[in-house]
Each structure stands twice: as structure tokens, then as C-alpha cells.
């Protein structure tokens, strides 16, 4: 724990442990649960502070939280470009 000169808590860390993970679903859930806990914990901060969960494998599994949005964006852009190209070639 780190305190400033006024005695206010500036930084701290907590340790979160889980059982050994073997499957992709376990790794994804092993990422989502600590992130959910950190987000709920962040809601308690009154001065705008934040908390985040970190582990080495979280870097890889974080992409599963937004991959559907990226895929949808790419598909819509591709359809829009193809549609525009067809309109230009028709004229």
C-alpha cells in the first residue's frame, strides 16, 4: 500500500488466485471474473481512481471481449465498399 503525505491511500494491490486452467472456456472465464471484480471494486472509489486485473494470459484473452464488434465492423465496411464499387461500375 502506498500513502501520500496526507495519509490518503494512493495505490495498493490485491492478489486473486484460481485453480489451474486447462480449456479455452476456463481461460476466458478466468479472465472475465477478476475483471468483473476489479470493475465492481472501482465503483467504490470516490476520487475517480480505478482498479484493473492483470495476469500474463489476460493480454491474450482480452481480445475475446471485443472481437465480435471488430468482426461486425469489418464485415459492414466490406459490404459497404463492395456496394459502392458496384454502384460506380454501373454508372
Amino acid at each position: 500500500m502506498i500513502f501520500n503525505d496526507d495519509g490518503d491511500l494512493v495505490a495498493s494491490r490485491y492478489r486473486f488466485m484460481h485453480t489451474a486452467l486447462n480449456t479455452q472456456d476456463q481461460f476466458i472465464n478466468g479472465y472475465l471474473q477478476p475483471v468483473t471484480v476489479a470493475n465492481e471494486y472501482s465503483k467504490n472509489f470516490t476520487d475517480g481512481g480505478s482498479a484493473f486485473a492483470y495476469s500474463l494470459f489476460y493480454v491474450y484473452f482480452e481480445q475475446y471481449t471485443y472481437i465480435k464488434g471488430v468482426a461486425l465492423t469489418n464485415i459492414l465496411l466490406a459490404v459497404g465498399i463492395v456496394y459502392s464499387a458496384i454502384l460506380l461500375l454501373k454508372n
Side-chain angles (χ1 to χ4, degrees):
M1 298 174 115
I2 301 172
F3 296 93
N4 63 10
D5 295 334
D6 298 329
D8 296 328
L9 180 64
V10 177
S12 70
R13 66 172 95 167
Y14 69 96
R15 179 169 245 159
F16 191 90
M17 296 175 55
H18 45 75
T19 59
L21 306 173
N22 298 318
T23 66
Q24 293 294 313
D25 287 336
Q26 289 175 343
F27 274 102
I28 293 168
N29 288 331
Y31 165 73
L32 291 176
Q33 289 174 356
V35 169
T36 302
V37 169
N39 289 341
E40 290 297 318
Y41 185 70
S42 292
K43 292 178 183 177
N44 296 328
F45 295 141
T46 57
D47 62 352
S50 63
F52 64 93
Y54 176 78
S55 179
L56 215 46
F57 76 88
Y58 293 171
V59 176
Y60 176 76
F61 286 96
E62 183 180 12
Q63 68 184 320
Y64 289 102
T65 61
Y66 58 85
I67 198 165
K68 290 179 184 177
V70 171
L72 182 63
T73 301
N74 289 342
I75 289 169
L76 290 176
L77 280 172
V79 168
I81 290 171
V82 168
Y83 181 75
S84 299
I86 289 172
L87 283 178
L88 285 173
L89 290 174
K90 282 181 123 180
N91 293 334

